[in-house]
Amino acid sequence: MALALPAPLRVNAASARPGRRWMVAWLLLAPSLVLLALFTYGPILRVLHESLYGSPLPGQAAPFLGLDNYARLLGDPAFRNAAWNTALYAFWTILPGMGLGLVLALALEATSRVSSVLRAVFFFPTLVPLVAAASIFVFLFLPGIGLLDRYLALIGIRGPNWLGDPDVALYAIIGLTVWKNAGYYMLFFLAGLQQVQQDLYDAATIDGAGVLARLRHVTLPALRPTMAFVFVIALVNVLVAVDHVFVLTKGGPSGTTDLILFFIYRQAHENHDLGFAAAATVVSVAVLLLISGLGIETLERGLRKEEGA
Amino acid sequence: MARLTSLLSAATVAACLALPASAGAATAIDFFFPVPVDGKLAKEMQRLVKLFNEEHPEIQVTPAYTGNYDETKIKAQAAAAAGKPPAVVLMSANFVYELALQDQILPLDPMIEADGTSKDAFMEDFWPALHKNAEFNGHVWAVPYHNSTPLLYYNTDHFQEVGLDPDQPPVTWQDWVDAAKKLTVRDGDQVERYGLTMSGSYDMLGWTMSALTMSNGGLYYNPDWGGEVYYDTPSMLGALTLWDDLIHKHKVTPEGVVDNKGVSSSFLAGQTSMVILSTGSLSFIRENMEGHYKVAFVPKNVRNAVAIGGASLVMFKGATEEQQQAGWTFANWLTTPENLGSWSRFTGYFAPRQSSYALPEMQQFLDENPDAAVALDQLRFAQPWFATYNTVAVRKALEDEVQAVLSGTKKPKEALEAAQANADAIMKPFVDSTALALPN
């Protein structure tokens, strides 16, 4: 890295007094630090702090509870329900979403006029904001009259009450999410595929590997870092994207589509229990960090392996 | 970067200089309003505020569209917490109790008395059903602005087709179930057309359940103190069992949760013959229905009774004396009988003041729109709207369980017991600090 620096700058940096160098560094960093402190670290500390307090009764200050909110959270059936829904939602959006993205990328890897049009077509849902997509799906999902049921009726199938049946609603929302995200993940996989070295394919072909063997032994291992990266993105999406729940079901019927972020929103704004909402936020972000950490660990292991090879 | 920073600081200084300058000319206040129905209403509200500002040069009202009822409450509370409370907010009428409990809104009687009126004289002109949601604990907290009740909408073409008299809507629950059975069209096991559909969306579901429970003689909640709801009661058990039977026994109502859009679109498409919708949907149905329809009271088992809905003007604490005065002037201007009447004709809500209906243009409107007249007649039987400590959470405690019954996963009795227990748990802090806070 040092070799890349232009020569005069290197000389200046070396000859300057250490104190002055630090000052310049801090001055340059100050604007970002101020913004980060105000809008990122400040709120994080505040959430941690608030998670230790209860909800104030009219005209009183909020009582200090220590870790009670956390204990209550773990025993709360509504939180466990939201956590379970989120786990189901994560499983059924991440795996099929990534799988579909990968298949699309493999199918559209070669550049031709048709494939570039198709890439744009599959990428299109990413450009629609989630809240707008959900507003359109309101009409697709209308029981009996919606677009989905009308097409199903053509082949003689009577659709379920998509958003009103507790056994179906979460999967309807999952379907929307997969449709929305697969094109986005496809883009990462397309980029990942460009990185696979052609000589590896050539060598494999000479060794007599067919299409499937090349996919299994060359393409997929080379895509491991991309997969880990997409996995982390998909995981973050699970926790932070909740617009469709707001628009389509508000967590119903009977709480079957209540995801963690929606649960947090309800605690804060329906129950006015900010401390409880803060505790739920801390726990869910901690779990997210843990799983993402594992994902990034896999990513780095994949990279080391690749460099070693 | 240095240039950007200096630009930023220059902009900050400019903003600081500009603010007091504009405030000096006229008293500036914020007005938050939701639009529960459609965008047309937001435009009309902007127009009204502009008119007010022109008529009152000493006051500058800034209208802010704040989403739906729930979002409006959240945004108003957030603005108040940030030290910039909106002077006037159009608030869902059943949130007024909670806001007063949290000490966030102003009692209006001092301003009413300063105008030389008593609070009884001030409230007298409003329909009696609206009083409980605006006046409690010895104070007036809100000025009703637009109101609604649930109504039975029915397709008169379907009525004729199956030999029912379109001028004789069902009056009792017995008539209602009989009519629904006749109106349902089946093809083998498949239902081609349902007799009756009611919304299972949050909020509308609670409102519909309160209409059914009240029609069954019940009370739903304690209108005088926000720590009690009557979920596990015979009147509500009867109401929920009726709905359960319509779905699972008579099979004349679709199973599961059908949301508001699903209810209105299936009615418009002729896939269901009767629906319960708000009077606030009157204009929408009138404009979009191709077949013929009429409206009627919600049928009764014990008595005619429904809960009111709608919104009222409240004033948040924390504004300056001048801003409060300006807000009060604005609230009074919005709620003159003439302005309430024209808003009612524009939106389809009914006007909260009885004197609005004495105006000739209102009489003419009712003559031309008999469905609006039915809505008004039902007002005589209206009851106050569900309002407790943590209203939304307590309401959802019931709605989640009712949804389980509609989906066939629970029986009415066990669902209502669970709903009662959940609601009691939510209200416990309030109950413990009031009714159960006893002398040592």
Side-chain angles (χ1 to χ4, degrees), chain A residues 202-221:
Chain A
D202 296 343
T205 313
I206 291 168
D207 287 345
V211 175
L212 279 180
R214 282 202 300 265
L215 177 69
R216 204 178 136 207
H217 296 291
V218 180
T219 315
L220 290 183

Side-chain angles (χ1 to χ4, degrees), chain B residues 177-245:
Chain B
V177 172
D178 290 344
K181 284 182 186 166
K182 275 193 187 160
L183 290 162
T184 302
V185 177
R186 281 174 227 278
D187 174 18
D189 273 353
Q190 301 254 2
V191 178
E192 297 291 313
R193 180 176 87 199
Y194 284 103
L196 168 67
T197 306
M198 295 187 279
S199 169
S201 292
Y202 291 118
D203 202 11
M204 188 68 192
L205 175 53
W207 206 41
T208 307
M209 275 306 292
S210 71
L212 296 178
T213 305
M214 286 170 176
S215 308
N216 203 20
L219 210 54
Y220 200 88
Y221 77 110
N222 180 343
D224 290 311
W225 174 65
E228 264 172 0
V229 291
Y230 308 131
Y231 291 168
D232 189 14
T233 54
S235 55
M236 194 171 284
L237 180 63
L240 185 53
T241 308
L242 171 76
W243 201 339
D244 187 34
D245 285 351

Side-chain angles (χ1 to χ4, degrees), chain B residues 323-395:
Chain B
Q323 286 175 324
Q324 281 178 18
Q325 206 48 55
W328 181 240
T329 307
F330 177 58
N332 272 312
W333 182 85
L334 276 179
T335 54
T336 60
E338 291 76 17
N339 283 342
L340 287 178
S342 79
W343 181 252
S344 161
R345 292 194 301 278
F346 188 83
T347 57
Y349 285 95
F350 55 76
R353 277 190 194 276
Q354 304 178 43
S355 55
S356 295
Y357 291 92
L359 301 168
E361 59 268 30
M362 270 321 247
Q363 286 298 334
Q364 192 193 341
F365 177 78
L366 290 181
D367 289 342
E368 287 164 8
N369 296 283
D371 48 1
V374 174
L376 192 64
D377 284 345
Q378 194 180 234
L379 252 189
R380 281 182 292 131
F381 306 104
Q383 302 276 334
W385 192 9
F386 180 67
T388 62
Y389 171 80
N390 271 6
T391 306
V392 175
V394 173
R395 190 195 71 216

Side-chain angles (χ1 to χ4, degrees), chain B residues 154-161 163-170 293-296:
Chain B
Y154 61 100
N155 187 317
T156 47
D157 299 337
H158 293 179
F159 264 55
Q160 260 162 349
E161 180 193 311
L164 288 165
D165 182 354
D167 293 321
Q168 299 283 324
Y293 76 97
K294 280 190 171 169
V295 296

Side-chain angles (χ1 to χ4, degrees), chain B residues 244-407:
Chain B
D244 187 34
D245 285 351
L246 286 166
I247 297 173
H248 298 110
K249 193 167 138 197
H250 310 306
K251 301 192 192 314
V252 294
T253 293
E255 184 174 53
V257 172
V258 182
D259 67 7
N260 296 344
K261 271 201 192 68
V263 173
S264 53
S265 15
S266 69
F267 185 65
L268 291 175
Q271 294 191 346
T272 187
S273 302
M274 296 187 284
V275 291
I276 297 273
L277 285 172
S278 163
T279 48
S281 302
L282 270 175
S283 311
F284 177 72
I285 298 287
R286 199 182 289 146
E287 282 160 25
N288 293 291
M289 183 93 177
E290 279 173 22
H292 300 90
Y293 76 97
K294 280 190 171 169
V295 296
F297 289 8
V298 173
K300 64 173 180 178
N301 197 35
V302 173
R303 58 167 178 170
N304 275 118
V306 290
I308 62 124
S312 304
L313 299 168
V314 296
M315 297 181 61
F316 266 70
K317 284 196 165 176
T320 65
E321 193 75 27
E322 293 84 52
Q323 286 175 324
Q324 281 178 18
Q325 206 48 55
W328 181 240
T329 307
F330 177 58
N332 272 312
W333 182 85
L334 276 179
T335 54
T336 60
E338 291 76 17
N339 283 342
L340 287 178
S342 79
W343 181 252
S344 161
R345 292 194 301 278
F346 188 83
T347 57
Y349 285 95
F350 55 76
R353 277 190 194 276
Q354 304 178 43
S355 55
S356 295
Y357 291 92
L359 301 168
E361 59 268 30
M362 270 321 247
Q363 286 298 334
Q364 192 193 341
F365 177 78
L366 290 181
D367 289 342
E368 287 164 8
N369 296 283
D371 48 1
V374 174
L376 192 64
D377 284 345
Q378 194 180 234
L379 252 189
R380 281 182 292 131
F381 306 104
Q383 302 276 334
W385 192 9
F386 180 67
T388 62
Y389 171 80
N390 271 6
T391 306
V392 175
V394 173
R395 190 195 71 216
K396 269 194 170 176
L398 177 76
E399 289 173 323
D400 277 332
E401 294 298 326
V402 172
Q403 288 181 340
V405 173
L406 304 184
S407 308

